[in-house]
Amino acid sequence: MAPSGTVADPPQCSTTDSFNSSDTAENDIRPFFVLHKASSGNHNGKLTGIVKSKRRIESPSPKIAKRSEVESVEEEDGQFFSTLRFKVFETVWSKIEKTIEDVLRNSNSKVFSGIHDWIRESFESIISSGALKLSEAVRSYPVLTQASSKQLLTAMVLTRNLEMVDDLLTFEELELHLKSQGCHVAKLSSMDFSAKSGVGGCLRGLLRQFVMPTVDVADVTILASWYRENKNHENPVVIIVDDTERCCGPVLSDLILILSEWAIKVPIFLIMGVSTAHDAPRKILSVNALQRLCATRFTLSSPAERMDAVLKAVFLKPCSGFTVSHKVALFMRSYFLCQDGTLTSFVRTLKIACLQHFSLEPLSIMLEHFCHDGVNQLSGEGTELLTEATMKHAFDLPSVTRNKITRSTFEMLPHFLLDLQRMPNPWSIVVLCLYEAGKFDKLRLLDIFCEILDPEARYLKYFSPSEIVNSQSHNSGRNNVIRRVLRKLRDLSPSQLSSMLKSWENLTAEFTEINDKVIELHPFMRAVEAAGQRQGLPNSPKKHASRSNSKLEKELKAMTDKVATVIEFMLREYMKPVESVPFHEILCFKNVDKLQSALLGDPRGRIQLDLLESHDILHCVCCSQRGTTLLPSMHDTSILYKLAQEHADVINLHDWYQSFKTILIPRSSKAKQKSKSSSKSKKRKEICEEPEAPAEALIQYPFLVKISNR
């Protein structure tokens, strides 16, 4: 608040007011300055204003009372539906999150099983030589001196992630998987391999995870004695280093040398996570440490493959019903590719989009019924929670007005919702079929998904599939993904075409309309395979070989034309974007600006807007009543910023200070003269009176402080 040199006069009250007594006034030392008070009466200055306000409070008119009751009921309904929408959001997001976790777990299950099989086979080969006695296992020196006895069995796990944030969850899942199989597992991060703590810190961390949390001694013999007690020797010991490339090289090398000396006494398996290449440890480990490693390579699925799997499970398979629009999908793809490229950031973006959808769309509560299995969940109970206001909002949706659906068809609303729930099934099948065809051109599902969502795409108007297949041009722009899929057909070999048709047949097994079209391609495929077999016969004359080549090319061309026709049929009949369906706003998030603001933010613009509207943030009634007028009671920073907005890019410091000083010093002389000459009301005089001007130093100090922090 702006400083003031004096305290404003207290307001006039009744004689029973304690502040009117002289003793209280002398001893009352207040810590804050009262700049001015809000008027409690009528601003017109009429004496009857207070009486009228009291009458309105004591006996309100029926109209006002009725309005207040309606407003209270609407407020209660709003709070109820806000709470309900948040609960439905938690239900929907919990199902999406569980689906993503299951997908990621399944994508790495084969690699995790391979790592466990490798550990078990190696462990059995080690213990087949005979178990050591406890006295032999805790000796300071190894029993065997051969070079092979000092080899530390190591698994190099290539993650291919740009950031470590995705690897954290992967190695946590690996740790849980190995523990469930009976292995003794400890996990170390790159923070444990610091030059400050040295190798002793790593050993203490291992002992605290294996032996007991209170161990504070870095002694390997403790690990050896623990391993030979209580049947711990029946299972292998596994140490996971999740981010090898960020570890301190000398510390990690020392740990490897120490553990290799005990490789026979304590069968230790080292799992090292690398993100760039399998031979990345060569850059950080010493030569002696590298010689002690007996490495086996494992490779996890790539981030793009995991992204396609998540996209397929969340948007193309029955999940929660929630989806996104074309523009939102484009923004999410751009954010994924241009930011850190991690699946964690994509999931965070998806969660924010889901939360924004539930906070903006009142009808989003109906998504709870989409989470249940089956398509009959919306038959009777889907619209029972809709009030008159929400029903009006439902039939005012742009997709409803565009399709000319009126309130007279209210009883058809459950049928529209059922169609909305059934719609993704054939649509997703077509997308997956295009994805199987696009794999031969290294197309990602994310690119296909973003293009297929385009509501303005008219595939059969922009191109003819048969012309695209036989064309040589590579035009870019709208429908570029579809063009690439169709153009790639002529380059596919008979084996690739056969593989694609088998995948199509499996995808369309539950959808007979498309499955019948795919089965009709089998005779053409057999003709292509027969022509290929005739071409591959040995010792065939050149004349017959040339005829076989022409026959194969002819059959391949006919086959690709038939496949293009099937794709044309799928696009024409079933490729209906969600944004073209009535009531799609219930489950489709479309506000890309809200999502961008939530993710990227605009802190500079937010600060500037807050400075211009400081009275709304501070809840200052006196300043908000004056509009944009600058008042002394406003915050100093807000006053200075608004004055700066009135100047150009270059501000004269003296003029800036003089304008600031003019605002803080109230022009009370003219107001006081008017109040003295007027005898209408004493209250009018009090309103016009203002506190005395503050001292010059009290104006200069906040001005200098604020401009120095600017």
Side-chain angles (χ1 to χ4, degrees), residues 400-453:
V400 178
T401 56
R402 183 170 59 248
N403 289 274
K404 298 180 180 179
I405 301 175
T406 61
R407 287 293 297 270
S408 60
T409 58
F410 167 70
E411 65 277 359
M412 298 295 294
L413 181 58
H415 300 283
F416 283 117
L417 299 179
L418 284 174
D419 293 339
L420 195 63
Q421 190 177 19
R422 295 190 187 101
M423 186 207 67
N425 188 27
W427 179 83
S428 60
I429 289 175
V430 176
V431 176
L432 293 177
C433 288
L434 292 175
Y435 175 54
E436 291 295 330
K439 286 182 179 179
F440 300 105
D441 201 19
K442 298 181 179 180
L443 282 175
R444 306 287 359 148
L445 182 60
L446 182 59
D447 299 329
I448 298 176
F449 178 74
C450 290
E451 181 166 311
I452 292 301
L453 286 176

Side-chain angles (χ1 to χ4, degrees), residues 434-693:
L434 292 175
Y435 175 54
E436 291 295 330
K439 286 182 179 179
F440 300 105
D441 201 19
K442 298 181 179 180
L443 282 175
R444 306 287 359 148
L445 182 60
L446 182 59
D447 299 329
I448 298 176
F449 178 74
C450 290
E451 181 166 311
I452 292 301
L453 286 176
D454 188 2
E456 299 179 359
R458 298 294 183 267
Y459 301 101
L460 301 180
K461 289 185 178 181
Y462 288 112
F463 61 86
S464 173
S466 58
E467 294 178 1
I468 293 283
V469 170
N470 301 317
S471 67
Q472 301 291 335
S473 61
H474 297 272
N475 296 327
S476 59
R478 190 184 295 271
N479 307 322
N480 187 40
V481 172
I482 308 298
R483 292 173 184 272
R484 288 178 58 183
V485 170
L486 294 172
R487 193 179 293 115
K488 187 64 179 179
L489 292 176
R490 29 168 219 180
D491 298 331
L492 299 182
S493 63
S495 60
Q496 291 176 330
L497 282 173
S498 178
S499 175
M500 185 185 69
L501 291 182
K502 289 180 181 179
S503 62
W504 281 12
E505 189 173 357
N506 295 330
L507 290 172
T508 60
E510 299 180 357
F511 202 74
T512 56
E513 288 83 354
I514 302 179
N515 189 260
D516 294 340
K517 296 290 183 180
V518 176
I519 293 177
E520 292 176 359
L521 298 176
H522 286 313
F524 298 94
M525 192 68 241
R526 286 193 291 269
V528 172
E529 292 175 350
Q533 292 176 357
R534 287 194 299 268
Q535 183 186 16
L537 292 176
N539 301 324
S540 59
K542 294 183 178 180
K543 184 176 181 180
H544 294 288
S546 61
R547 291 178 181 177
S548 300
N549 289 334
S550 60
K551 179 68 174 177
L552 178 62
E553 292 177 357
K554 183 178 179 181
E555 295 293 343
L556 275 175
K557 185 179 183 302
M559 181 64 189
T560 53
D561 290 340
K562 292 295 181 181
V563 173
T565 304
V566 173
I567 294 178
E568 178 182 355
F569 166 76
M570 291 189 294
L571 293 177
R572 182 180 66 251
E573 297 295 332
Y574 304 105
M575 192 47 59
K576 191 175 183 180
V578 65
E579 293 183 72
S580 61
V581 181
F583 298 101
H584 72 269
E585 291 88 350
I586 297 175
L587 50 84
C588 180
F589 176 67
K590 304 173 63 175
N591 199 327
V592 67
D593 295 332
K594 287 283 186 180
L595 180 61
Q596 184 175 359
S597 176
L599 286 171
L600 304 180
D602 187 14
R604 182 183 295 272
R606 183 71 260 175
I607 292 173
Q608 294 175 352
L609 186 61
D610 291 344
L611 289 174
L612 292 175
E613 301 176 355
S614 59
H615 56 274
D616 293 336
I617 299 174
L618 299 176
H619 302 288
C620 182
V621 180
C622 54
C623 297
S624 60
Q625 293 177 351
R626 301 294 184 91
T628 59
T629 306
L630 295 177
L631 298 175
S633 61
M634 296 177 65
H635 198 277
D636 297 334
T637 307
S638 181
I639 295 175
L640 287 171
Y641 180 75
K642 288 186 176 182
L643 291 174
Q645 293 294 102
E646 299 176 0
H647 295 76
D649 295 336
V650 180
I651 305 176
N652 187 284
L653 190 61
H654 177 73
D655 296 340
W656 198 9
Y657 172 72
Q658 291 297 329
S659 301
F660 179 67
K661 181 179 178 181
T662 304
I663 299 299
L664 293 187
I665 298 178
R667 300 178 180 178
S668 58
S669 58
K670 185 176 181 180
K672 288 182 179 180
Q673 291 176 1
K674 289 184 178 180
S675 62
K676 290 180 181 179
S677 60
S678 176
S679 59
K680 291 183 179 180
S681 173
K682 185 177 181 180
K683 182 182 176 182
R684 178 72 176 260
K685 178 180 178 181
E686 292 175 0
I687 296 175
C688 295
E689 288 181 353
E690 295 185 5
E692 297 180 2

Side-chain angles (χ1 to χ4, degrees), residues 74-123:
E74 291 180 352
E75 184 178 357
E76 292 178 359
D77 290 343
Q79 293 177 356
F80 170 75
F81 280 103
S82 298
T83 305
L84 182 60
R85 288 206 305 269
F86 183 74
K87 290 181 179 179
V88 176
F89 161 74
E90 291 181 337
T91 303
V92 171
W93 179 249
S94 62
K95 186 164 186 178
I96 295 176
E97 191 174 27
K98 185 179 182 301
T99 302
I100 295 174
E101 291 176 355
D102 294 340
V103 167
L104 297 179
R105 189 179 297 109
N106 294 333
S107 65
N108 296 322
S109 59
K110 292 183 179 179
V111 180
F112 289 174
S113 299
I115 293 175
H116 176 256
D117 295 340
W118 165 76
I119 291 175
R120 279 296 173 186
E121 293 175 1
S122 303
F123 179 70

Side-chain angles (χ1 to χ4, degrees), residues 653 699-709:
L653 190 61
I699 300 177
Q700 294 178 357
Y701 176 75
F703 178 79
L704 295 176
V705 170
K706 297 302 183 296
I707 64 173
S708 62
N709 296 331

Side-chain angles (χ1 to χ4, degrees), residues 7 10 14-30:
V7 180
S14 62
T15 57
T16 59
D17 194 346
S18 61
F19 288 104
N20 287 344
S21 61
S22 59
D23 296 336
T24 306
E26 293 177 358
N27 298 325
D28 184 22
I29 302 176
R30 303 183 185 181

